[in-house]
Amino acid sequence: MKQYLLSIYQPDDTDPPDNLAEIMHDLETLNDEMRAAGAWVFAAGLHAPSSATVLRADGSDVLVTDGPYAEGKEHIGGFTVIRADDLDQALEWGRRLARVVTLPIEVRPLQDG
């Protein structure tokens, strides 16, 4: 089975939705369904982009800067790694995740290692 990254994109500088407890409950239910199906590998939420540190190689030196790599109107707020037989199956899990979190989901295959 291939592995896929389901990235959750959320807008910058927005307050949590009023129904966050319901969303988190539904997310845990979906994660349990993925576990039961053998699809769930792991998932995590991320701190705000302002907590990021960016490292850039510059010749023999590495520059260290605060903040996200790219400024934008949205950021990756969390992710799930799943196992799926093919892209269609990964997209179905991504659709279900999008309905639960009500945010855009990017589905991307991981390179075989």
Side-chain angles (χ1 to χ4, degrees):
M1 289 184 131
K2 292 187 73 122
Q3 291 187 345
Y4 293 84
L5 175 68
L6 309 180
S7 301
I8 302 169
Y9 284 88
Q10 63 187 70
D12 287 340
D13 300 326
T14 59
D15 293 325
D18 293 337
N19 64 337
L20 182 60
E22 178 185 345
I23 289 171
M24 295 307 293
H25 175 267
D26 292 347
L27 179 60
E28 190 55 36
T29 298
L30 178 60
N31 286 341
D32 287 344
E33 289 178 35
M34 286 189 221
R35 285 184 192 100
W40 192 87
V41 177
F42 70 96
L46 300 172
H47 287 280
S50 60
S51 68
T53 303
V54 179
L55 306 171
R56 286 185 179 90
D58 184 21
S60 63
D61 198 10
V62 176
L63 303 176
V64 179
T65 57
D66 292 333
Y69 171 74
E71 296 293 331
K73 295 182 181 180
E74 58 186 18
H75 62 277
I76 297 177
F79 63 90
T80 301
V81 175
I82 62 166
R83 288 183 202 91
D85 290 330
D86 54 31
L87 179 60
D88 289 336
Q89 189 178 56
L91 290 173
E92 184 53 36
W93 286 118
R95 282 184 192 93
R96 294 184 64 190
L97 182 58
R99 285 192 289 270
V100 167
V101 299
T102 67
L103 294 168
I105 304 298
E106 178 183 308
V107 177
R108 188 184 299 188
L110 298 179
Q111 290 187 3
D112 295 332

